[in-house]
Amino acid sequence: MKKLNQMYEGKAKKVFETDDPSVVLVEYKDDATALNGKKKGTIQGKGAINNRMTNHLMKMLEKNGIPTHYVEEINDRETLVKKVSIVPLEVIVRNVAAGSLSKRLGIPEGTPMRRPVIEYCYKCDELDDPMVNEYHIAAMGWADDRTMADIAGYALKINSILTRYFHEVGVDLIDFKLEFGVTTDGKLVLADEISPDTCRFWDSRTHEKLDKDRFRRDMGGVEAAYEEMAARILGD
Ligand code: TMP
């Protein structure tokens, strides 16, 4: 498939048209941002790790009955995916209190919770992706009730599959962010990425952070954390 015009450049990825109108090419960058773009940097090797890890996990999820946008990995940084219209929501699933939940509710990071929590944020950079609930989503028409029921069902199933999968490589899946889209033929699929940029991974034994929080919080050892996750998941 031919790589044609660039359609879009995001904070971590570029998207190109291809000669198939139902397929786009995603190119992962090493650029990193945090605090909604206010903090900028580079994480050497991140693009390739996130591309390969995302593809590996999407293929595994497909085998477990989750429809995804994945089509084919072209090389370390480029992947063909189904063209989707993105549901304008960040779907966050949490197993252990951390990050913004800990801040908002005053619950120390690392506190286990009785059951997973799903949160939705409206994707809007100018507003810093504000948290919304199902009533806002239905009222604004961002997604219909059927789509939201499917999204919540998939999110919880993905959480069970991934939690078990990461546990086997000695990693606790603390929380993560998903995005969903609707393909040109009207099917709801998992889109975007699943990587150390979009998940909190803590070593099960030492609780060491193996994700982008090392960049967000200036902890150092950022590249090493991404490489450690690549080693555990991709066997690099
Ligand atoms: P939070 O605790 O900052 O709300 O983040 C929850 C999870 O979602 C965490 O694993 C990081 C991920 N996330 C993103 O992937 N993109 C975002 O823009 C935000 C705010 C969080």
Side-chain angles (χ1 to χ4, degrees):
M1 219 168 283
K2 267 207 212 85
K3 181 176 179 179
L4 300 176
N5 295 333
Q6 183 174 311
M7 296 166 64
Y8 169 81
E9 176 161 9
K11 292 177 211 135
K13 298 189 278 292
K14 295 178 185 175
V15 182
F16 296 84
E17 286 176 336
T18 70
D19 46 2
D20 180 338
S22 68
V23 174
V24 296
L25 185 149
V26 178
E27 182 186 313
Y28 284 70
K29 307 189 284 183
D30 283 350
D31 298 355
T33 62
L35 306 169
N36 196 23
K38 290 191 267 295
K39 180 182 168 76
K40 288 195 174 73
T42 302
I43 302 174
Q44 215 71 48
K46 171 173 93 77
I49 288 173
N50 287 2
N51 179 41
R52 295 174 52 232
M53 192 182 298
T54 295
N55 294 341
H56 179 86
L57 295 171
M58 292 248 180
K59 281 190 261 185
M60 189 271 290
L61 289 169
E62 283 273 359
K63 279 192 201 131
N64 284 277
I66 306 290
T68 80
H69 72 165
Y70 177 77
V71 175
E72 187 190 353
E73 186 170 292
I74 302 298
N75 57 44
D76 270 8
R77 282 180 188 274
E78 295 179 320
T79 295
L80 296 173
V81 299
K82 289 177 191 151
K83 184 173 183 174
V84 295
S85 156
I86 284 281
V87 177
L89 299 172
E90 301 206 329
V91 178
I92 294 169
V93 184
R94 302 179 184 272
N95 297 305
V96 174
S100 67
L101 178 138
S102 285
K103 247 195 201 144
R104 189 167 9 99
L105 302 180
I107 296 169
E109 287 207 309
T111 309
M113 301 190 293
R114 285 175 178 77
R115 45 183 264 183
V117 170
I118 302 184
E119 292 171 355
Y120 302 107
C121 295
Y122 174 51
K123 273 170 67 73
C124 177
D125 283 342
E126 299 83 76
L127 299 174
D128 280 350
D129 300 340
M131 192 191 290
V132 294
N133 64 30
E134 282 97 334
Y135 288 88
H136 299 103
I137 296 166
M140 310 309 157
W142 294 323
D144 61 28
D145 291 347
R146 175 74 248 167
T147 304
M148 289 314 294
D150 290 345
I151 284 178
Y154 287 143
L156 291 175
K157 189 170 173 197
I158 291 166
N159 185 42
S160 312
I161 298 166
L162 292 182
T163 297
R164 203 172 327 120
Y165 188 81
F166 285 112
H167 184 73
E168 282 169 21
V169 296
V171 169
D172 290 345
L173 180 60
I174 303 303
D175 57 34
F176 57 98
K177 185 264 298 182
L178 301 172
E179 294 187 27
F180 292 86
V182 178
T183 61
T184 50
D185 48 5
K187 194 174 158 203
L188 180 71
V189 296
L190 177 64
D192 198 48
E193 64 179 282
I194 307 172
S195 72
D197 274 17
T198 63
C199 303
R200 285 197 172 91
F201 298 129
W202 292 2
D203 182 272
S204 303
R205 197 172 50 82
T206 64
H207 304 303
E208 186 190 1
K209 294 187 199 310
L210 297 172
D211 58 61
K212 195 176 165 191
D213 270 349
R214 303 197 76 88
F215 171 80
R216 296 187 189 101
R217 301 179 187 189
D218 296 317
M219 297 171 73
V222 183
E223 277 87 359
Y226 280 72
E227 285 159 16
E228 179 61 27
M229 284 307 302
R232 294 197 197 186
I233 299 302
L234 305 167
D236 285 7

